[in-house]
Amino acid sequence: MVDYSKLHPETQLVQGGINRSGFGETSEALFLTQGFVYPDAEAAEARFKGEEPGFIYSRYANPTVDMFEKRMCLLEGAEDARATASGMAAVSAALLCQLEAGDHIVAARQLFGSCRWVVETLAPKYGIETTLIDGTKTEEWEAACRPNTKVFFFESPTNPTLALIDIAAVAQIAKAKGITTVIDNVFATPILQKPLELGIDVVCYSATKHIDGQGRCLGGIVLSSKAWINEKLHDYFRHTGPSMSPFNAWTLLKGLETLSLRVERQTASAGKIADWLADQNAIEKVLYPGRDDHPQAALAKKQMAGGSTMICFELKGGKDAAFAFENALEIIRISNNLGDAKSLITHPTTTTHKNLTEEARVEQGIMPGSVRLSIGLEHPDDLIADLDRALGI
Ligand SMILES: *Cc1c(COP(=O)(O)O)cnc(C)c1O
């Protein structure tokens, strides 16, 4: 038996976690079944008691979903995982499964909108207090702690301005106080950033983004130690039912096969395009973690293996200029999705971040002229030509 944990990500992504049926199929089998039959009543009893391995019900576990979870564990270096129906199912399960009334969360305010709603609006309804801080300032994590602080939650790079949070430093503060750290690693991808190696306890993904990478289905996953999954997530997951569909797991297994190829190509193109954008007169500012003029370039080099597939930039002329520019693009399409094979652009002020106050947006560097660009698999020269033409209009 090959030990895939010792092999490279490229090999894990293609071969890891495969559990072949008696037919010996090359491609992963799609087990589109809700339940499983038992050879006899004794076997059913033994399986329910946990004395015999085997599947019971697809809300708990399913062979295709299991292959996806095992492949992701190999890639992330995690002991165990639970795949979910969406990225938000993963984040809300990872947080709520371990919190109770009277607990306190510290979270970076630079969060994906729905993540911010979970900590800022939903959690307080259940008696869980939340403090939002500027996550890029490491000292604010320490200062926000209270005796009842149970969880630190953040993403890095942040959406949409690609600011970075010092993952190892935040994890260290949490460890010293017995606080559990949860990271949403979507923007970095498991190819460019390994939070568990930096001391993080729980990693969440929206698999909808780079892991599918071809705009087909929703999915998510929570990865951690065996102990944390068993003690905190196991029962919550079984009884609240955020499970991933086997069909989506199968699609995402196919996505994983090309994940490293896509992320590496998209990152290389993004670097080239960010450099080109920085030279254009119509552009006020480019934010890209792979560039030396990024405010946290040194931290990017320390905790990321590449500059990201995303670029944020600000057009001179505010919202009108941003809208005229977006409308003039022909190859790059307007969409709030990201990590896709197709290049996509969005205007955060009027879409993904419209619910924040103007003041909160400016605080995060989201200006009326800011746009967020997700670089796809098209040839970078064709994308630059599209951007060039649209900037000239
Ligand atoms: C998209 C996204 C989510 C939510 O994922 P869904 O699959 O849409 O539920 C969470 N966090 C970040 C950073 C995202 O980009």
Side-chain angles (χ1 to χ4, degrees):
M1 267 274 285
V2 180
D3 180 358
Y4 284 103
S5 71
K6 304 258 185 315
L7 303 184
H8 295 89
E10 291 79 359
T11 311
Q12 294 167 342
L13 286 167
V14 176
Q15 304 266 358
I18 290 184
N19 182 6
R20 291 200 164 88
S21 79
F23 294 113
E25 62 282 352
T26 29
S27 175
E28 298 75 5
L30 169 50
F31 291 96
L32 206 49
T33 181
Q34 298 159 339
F36 303 85
V37 296
Y38 311 97
D40 48 45
E42 286 77 10
E45 182 186 28
R47 230 176 266 186
F48 268 79
K49 278 186 175 166
E51 291 170 359
E52 202 176 79
F55 294 95
I56 296 173
Y57 189 52
S58 285
R59 167 149 45 79
Y60 302 171
N62 167 281
T64 310
V65 178
D66 189 61
M67 287 190 262
F68 173 69
E69 290 169 345
K70 289 209 161 68
R71 190 169 292 177
M72 282 298 299
C73 282
L74 285 165
L75 181 65
E76 200 67 39
E79 290 174 0
D80 207 355
R82 291 288 183 276
T84 55
S86 69
M88 284 321 303
V91 167
S92 52
L95 293 172
L96 297 177
C97 77
Q98 58 177 324
L99 290 162
E100 59 187 51
D103 287 348
H104 177 235
I105 310 173
V106 179
R109 62 170 176 250
Q110 301 96 331
L111 282 178
F112 179 77
S114 297
C115 294
R116 185 155 163 169
W117 184 85
V118 169
V119 293
E120 196 177 27
T121 307
L122 181 66
K125 288 190 188 176
Y126 297 94
I128 301 158
E129 304 172 311
T130 298
T131 304
L132 292 175
I133 59 161
D134 178 353
T136 64
K137 300 202 171 102
T138 303
E139 65 280 8
E140 291 199 14
W141 291 95
E142 179 100 49
C145 286
R146 301 179 191 165
N148 58 340
T149 305
K150 292 285 162 60
V151 169
F152 279 179
F153 176 55
F154 63 99
E155 55 186 71
S156 179
T158 64
N159 177 28
T161 53
L162 305 173
L164 305 186
I165 292 173
D166 189 334
I167 299 172
V170 173
Q172 203 177 352
I173 294 167
K175 279 230 157 46
K177 296 177 189 290
I179 294 166
T180 303
T181 43
V182 180
I183 193 169
D184 176 345
N185 205 39
V186 166
F187 267 54
T189 81
I191 303 297
L192 299 182
Q193 186 165 277
K194 301 280 187 204
L196 296 178
E197 289 174 10
L198 296 166
I200 293 296
D201 299 308
V202 182
V203 184
C204 300
Y205 287 101
S206 163
T208 314
K209 312 295 166 54
H210 302 80
I211 292 173
D212 176 19
Q214 290 153 87
R216 297 165 297 194
C217 61
L218 298 173
I221 191 162
V222 184
L223 303 114
S224 186
S225 65
K226 264 199 161 41
W228 188 87
I229 298 274
N230 274 334
E231 284 163 28
K232 304 292 182 186
L233 186 59
H234 181 84
D235 287 352
Y236 179 97
F237 183 87
R238 281 191 166 208
H239 304 307
T240 62
S243 329
M244 174 179 278
S245 145
F247 181 80
N248 287 3
W250 182 83
T251 310
L252 295 166
L253 278 161
K254 295 289 120 193
L256 283 178
E257 291 185 343
T258 57
L259 180 69
S260 67
L261 281 176
R262 286 183 285 106
V263 170
E264 282 161 21
R265 168 70 78 84
Q266 288 167 238
T267 301
S269 296
K272 186 172 176 183
I273 292 165
D275 288 344
W276 181 85
L277 287 167
D279 285 340
Q280 306 309 307
N281 283 334
I283 289 169
E284 182 71 38
K285 191 176 187 178
V286 174
L287 290 165
Y288 184 67
R291 277 178 58 81
D292 289 340
D293 64 357
H294 186 279
Q296 298 155 295
L299 180 59
K301 286 202 174 67
K302 200 174 101 185
Q303 68 187 23
M304 296 179 75
S308 149
T309 65
M310 310 287 299
I311 307 167
C312 185
F313 58 98
E314 187 190 339
L315 286 115
K316 289 178 185 161
K319 179 185 165 188
D320 289 348
F323 270 36
F325 169 69
E326 282 195 329
N327 291 339
L329 291 165
E330 288 177 348
I331 297 174
I332 298 165
R333 307 315 315 232
I334 301 169
S335 173
N336 46 290
N337 199 12
L338 63 100
D340 199 87
K342 295 175 174 62
S343 292
L344 303 171
I345 197 161
T346 192
H347 182 247
T349 300
T350 52
T351 61
T352 54
H353 291 69
K354 74 167 175 35
N355 290 337
L356 293 183
T357 61
E358 178 72 25
E359 192 190 2
R361 277 195 296 266
V362 171
E363 205 173 48
Q364 292 184 34
I366 307 167
M367 310 310 280
S370 297
V371 290
R372 187 194 76 188
L373 177 59
S374 170
I375 298 297
L377 289 173
E378 304 91 344
H379 196 287
D381 292 347
D382 292 337
L383 296 176
I384 287 173
D386 197 33
L387 293 164
D388 193 23
R389 209 183 29 71
L391 281 180
I393 279 172

